[in-house]
Amino acid sequence: MKQRPIRWSVYVGLMPAILIVVFAYLGTMIWTVGISFTDSRMLPAARFAGVNQYIRLFATDRWLTSIQNMVMFGVLMIGISLVLGFLLAVAIDQRVRAEGVLRTVILYPYAMSFIVTGLVWQWILNPTLGIEKTVRGWGFESFRFDWIVGQDTAIYCVVLAGVWHAAGLVMAIMLAGLRGIDPDLWKASRIDGIKPWRFYLHIVIPVLRPSFISATVLLSLGVVKLYDLVLVLTGGGPGFSSDVPAKFVMDYLFQRQNIGLATAAATTLLVTVLCVLTPWLYAEYFRRQTPKG
Amino acid sequence: MSSVSLRNLKISFGAVNVLETLNLEVAEGEFIVLLGPSGCGKSTLLNAIAGLLDLTEGQVFIGGRNVTWAEPSERGIGMVFQSYALYPRLTVEGNLSFGLKMSGMPKAEIARRVADAARILQIEPLMKRQPAQLSGGQRQRVAIGRALVRNASVLLFDEPLSNLDAKLRTELRVEIKRLHKALGSTMIFVTHDQVEALTLADRIAVMHKGVIRQLASPKEIYQRPVDRFVASFVGSPQMNFLSGRIVRRDEALAFRLDGGGEIGLNGYDFTHPVSDGQVATLGIRPEQAQLQPSPQHTESLEPTFTIDEPMGPDTLLWGTLGGETFSLRTTSDHTPNLGTAMPIYVNPAQVSLFDAAGERL
Amino acid sequence: MTTHHTSEGPSGPAPRRIGPARLGIYAFLLISALFFLLPLYVMLVTSVKPMAEIREGGLFALPSAVTFEPWIRAWSSACTGLDCRGISPGFWISVKILIPSVIASILIGAITGYALSFWRARGANLLFAALLLGAFLPYQVFIYPLVRIYSATGLFSTIYALVLTHVIFGLPVMTLLFRNYYAGIPIDLFKAARVDGGKFFSIFFRLMLPMSIPMLVVAVILQVTGIWNDFIMGLTFGGLANRPMTVQLTNLVAPTEGEIAYNVNMAATIMTAAVPLIIYFISGRWFVRGIAAGAVKG
């Protein structure tokens, strides 16, 4: 390539993005990380405190519980959503009647906010209002379904609502993947006399690998950002038994006014995400990139 | 080796008739090509034979057995697809053996069949590769191999060469012909490429709008097309069509061009009675017209050529005759004068005549 | 052509067998559909029931006497603390936040995507990588400094703060969306425009933007849904003055003394969900396309 004069208009066009990256992303990130190494409490303080905040953080039960919850929620929600979404996509792909209606019904939760999702499930799962009350009303007086008020079970309610919200997304991604499979492949398998379930197992699932990865990445983002849903569904309770890291940070920032601890927690989240993400991003966007033109 | 017989086959999708009531008898070991433009129903017909779609009416017999309701895998067929349809993420060997494995065939038998197919198709060095690592031609060989390992007595090809470049297409065409000679299996081959049809087929079925227009040997199809559609679809460059009338002249019939000129039809084999003054179209293939008179044919038409296209072995001349496009293929090195009218000569026994509805006269 | 007679034996279409597999598929789909519909059903049904009926029959029974009074109360007179104006102020604030946020974030995302796709700017890859990271990082990392910045500049608890925030956090996905879209446009078209003397902005506004209408539709769907459904930004930066509808909703339904008016709460919830739901039902396949495009290129 010949060396061309720099075209300033290109940089003018890129300026908003550059400013946002430099100030809103990098600047704030460094700021946050910086505070986490000070002994700030209610107000930021400049005294360097080393990793004291981190030591305190990992001695805090609530933080450990929230990490545990996030992992549990992540594994269960992603696992169940992937399986359910894939099965739904496969079922819909069997030339069923009313396909459009089914797709619409399965995907609409994804259009709803976590606030709405959390509220409505909180009502349904509320023992004195929802399922438990209704089933008892049918005469099953000893019926119990009170997960949402149980210390050990509340997080499963978050998983349930999370699956309800996300399974449609997985279904849509998988269905697009299934529809992208060469129709001749199905024909070839029929000529070869391969049973449909074996075809799905041996041929389709390997082919849909990119779809599974996409869906997993998307859902993982939701796991790290999980906040609103927990807030309205369980409030992190009972106690802090269903707390999650994002909520921990928000509470310590704004309610408990302990910004040192909150920023240490945020930084921990950040590092975790970076460790998982960087290799994937690199592989996805830069390794196989072919230059244009 | 099995015969294939289609009886009163009809396929409709909703209100659209894709195949009109259709009958076709394919003899054992015969190579039939279904030729036609896209949307003519040729692939639908092939899929119906394979059992990949439901018939609306009619029956399919393979090897004398009524397979109308049989599953595709129970019909004793193998099929090769345009997109190759190789199973992704399986090796070549995996692709060849997958169907057999799933049907519970003993391992030794699978290995023997796979080895046979690999030898016949010369894909032995590729056995450990994945489809993504193969060229188009190699993929299609593997796809053919997958059909072969089934020991099918009928092989179905759905435009197998369309995705290949011109050179590979020619190579694989020869390969398929060799395969047919070696195996002797019945083959039904769908294509829109007339060269493939003419070179491969024992018989060609030219299809248009869900109907077989003509079922005959390549030679017959080329030389005696039954209608204007077949005449124009087969042959490249296309047959020249000149409009005019049949006239009676000195006890014999002649063709008078609307654009001027006249030519005797002595020797033309009429299939229908004609009347004096009947509107008709004269069809002359580019190589059916000569620049030199022969002893029997001295009557000439006089087109004006404006462009010459040397093609190597021969040259195509393009011009007009009576206002209609006219092309002529000549092997002579002598370049005629372009831009001025010149005489050409045709043998009436070779040309085609069509009536106003496009049917052969 | 000779006609043949159909002989004995199977003829015509194979008889359809409704096997157990097929029944299983339908049963699975039906049960799943009920699971997904249940919350919507509960909200709709409860929102038109009088409180007495809810106390009696619970959430799942069909209403015997339909009333729209809860809807009216939810919209205009339900109380959040001392403020008894219903959810409607939140709706209008959400609209005020939504419109400029959607326009600004899409425009900036489109320009950035265009610049990254067609112009070989120095450091473009680095910028893109940083943007991608921004899409994936937890908001909690950015929030405290942003609060401080907005406070210092007097933006805190104004509409501007929220619009700016949505632009900031919408940029990665919008850029990705348009970058992927422009990657599908033949580079020769761009070269032709350059040869014809097009400059950075003239090529963008005259050629690329008009060509991007499908992607603009997808982007609008994504951003309207995303920004309307936002809670954490509204909560953090909106202060008391500019609480979007989602935040107002959580305040409205927060338990107070006395009986909880579930019918009003559910009516308010439906209203909050209405905008994205309507977008979803109208846009149909476009919504799916938005997910696929905005997601991660598979």
Side-chain angles (χ1 to χ4, degrees), chain A residues 62 66 69 73 113-123 148 154-155 157-159 161-162 222-256, chain C residues 140 143 229-236 243-255:
Chain A
R62 187 175 163 185
S66 71
N69 280 334
F73 172 82
S113 61
F114 280 121
I115 295 299
V116 170
T117 305
L119 283 175
V120 65
W121 278 105
Q122 173 236 313
W123 288 320
I148 200 163
I155 190 69
C157 292
V158 185
V159 172
V223 171
V224 179
K225 290 180 179 174
L226 178 68
Y227 168 69
D228 340 12
L229 185 61
V230 175
L231 186 73
V232 286
L233 189 59
T234 66
F240 51 79
S241 64
S242 61
D243 201 11
V244 285
K247 187 167 177 303
F248 179 95
V249 176
M250 292 295 281
D251 284 356
Y252 275 80
L253 274 183
F254 298 112
Q255 257 117 58
R256 298 193 159 217
Chain C
Q140 281 71 19
I143 272 183
N229 284 344
D230 160 66
F231 173 78
I232 192 167
M233 302 303 166
L235 179 74
T236 312
R243 286 183 193 148
M245 200 171 183
T246 47
V247 178
Q248 294 235 5
L249 176 69
T250 56
N251 292 332
L252 189 89
V253 303

Side-chain angles (χ1 to χ4, degrees), chain A residues 2-225:
Chain A
K2 261 188 291 181
Q3 203 61 44
R4 289 226 188 90
I6 297 163
R7 257 165 262 283
W8 290 108
S9 50
V10 179
Y11 292 94
V12 172
L14 281 175
M15 199 42 73
I18 293 170
L19 290 177
I20 284 173
V21 163
V22 171
F23 291 103
Y25 295 166
L26 296 178
T28 56
M29 208 188 300
I30 291 165
W31 192 340
T32 297
V33 175
I35 297 174
S36 76
F37 288 105
T38 65
D39 59 357
S40 312
R41 290 188 75 87
M42 230 165 82
L43 291 169
R47 279 186 303 281
F48 181 75
V51 292
N52 280 351
Q53 297 287 11
Y54 291 86
I55 294 168
R56 272 176 54 213
L57 179 68
F58 280 92
T60 308
D61 275 349
R62 187 175 163 185
W63 172 250
L64 298 176
T65 310
S66 71
I67 293 268
Q68 204 184 331
N69 280 334
M70 182 175 80
V71 172
M72 177 123 91
F73 172 82
V75 171
L76 286 178
M77 190 277 277
I78 293 176
I80 298 173
S81 297
L82 285 181
V83 172
L84 182 61
F86 175 71
L87 291 178
L88 284 168
V90 168
I92 286 182
D93 201 33
Q94 305 303 310
R95 297 202 204 151
V96 294
R97 280 163 205 277
E99 184 196 312
V101 175
L102 282 168
R103 274 205 332 249
T104 308
V105 163
I106 294 169
L107 184 57
Y108 89 89
Y110 193 69
M112 308 267 253
S113 61
F114 280 121
I115 295 299
V116 170
T117 305
L119 283 175
V120 65
W121 278 105
Q122 173 236 313
W123 288 320
I124 292 174
L125 297 169
N126 183 342
T128 59
L129 179 69
I131 295 174
E132 183 177 300
K133 180 186 168 178
T134 304
V135 175
R136 286 187 176 181
W138 292 340
F140 303 95
E141 289 296 341
S142 58
F143 179 81
R144 276 188 64 183
F145 186 59
D146 53 2
W147 287 7
I148 200 163
V149 293
Q151 288 263 355
D152 303 326
T153 48
I155 190 69
Y156 298 116
C157 292
V158 185
V159 172
L160 176 71
V163 168
W164 179 82
H165 188 259
L169 168 77
V170 179
M171 183 277 297
I173 293 175
M174 294 297 165
L175 193 59
L178 285 173
R179 295 281 151 89
I181 291 178
D182 178 4
D184 283 351
L185 266 183
W186 301 94
K187 294 183 180 176
S189 82
R190 286 186 66 194
I191 302 255
D192 277 348
I194 296 162
K195 290 196 176 65
W197 68 269
R198 293 198 141 153
F199 183 69
Y200 277 106
L201 198 64
H202 293 284
I203 308 293
V204 172
I205 290 182
V207 171
L208 289 187
R209 215 180 84 118
S211 304
F212 276 103
I213 293 177
S214 284
T216 307
V217 169
L218 269 184
L219 296 181
S220 316
L221 294 182
V223 171
V224 179
K225 290 180 179 174

Side-chain angles (χ1 to χ4, degrees), chain B residues 236-240 286 303-311 315-321 324-329 336 338-339:
Chain B
S236 174
Q238 191 181 276
M239 181 183 268
N240 299 298
T304 303
F305 294 110
T306 49
I307 288 173
D308 63 333
E309 288 186 319
M311 315 274 280
T315 300
L316 273 178
L317 301 176
W318 292 91
T320 54
L321 175 53
E324 295 173 283
T325 307
F326 193 87
S327 65
L328 181 145
R329 191 192 296 276
L338 295 177

Side-chain angles (χ1 to χ4, degrees), chain C residues 75-112:
Chain C
W75 179 251
S76 53
S77 66
C79 295
T80 310
L82 293 175
D83 178 359
C84 288
R85 288 179 298 159
I87 194 91
S88 55
F91 176 85
W92 294 117
I93 289 170
S94 276
V95 171
K96 269 198 279 179
I97 297 168
L98 185 73
I99 292 169
S101 304
V102 169
I103 295 172
S105 63
I106 292 177
L107 197 66
I108 294 175
I111 289 187
T112 311

Side-chain angles (χ1 to χ4, degrees), chain C residues 158-172:
Chain C
T158 64
I159 294 278
Y160 302 109
L162 285 165
V163 172
L164 187 56
T165 310
H166 287 305
V167 169
I168 289 173
F169 292 110
L171 183 64

Side-chain angles (χ1 to χ4, degrees), chain B residues 213 226-229 278-281 354-360:
Chain B
R213 289 299 186 88
V226 295
D227 58 22
R228 264 194 76 161
F229 171 78
Q278 180 177 346
V279 172
T281 306
F354 305 101
D355 66 15
E359 298 295 321
R360 185 179 187 87

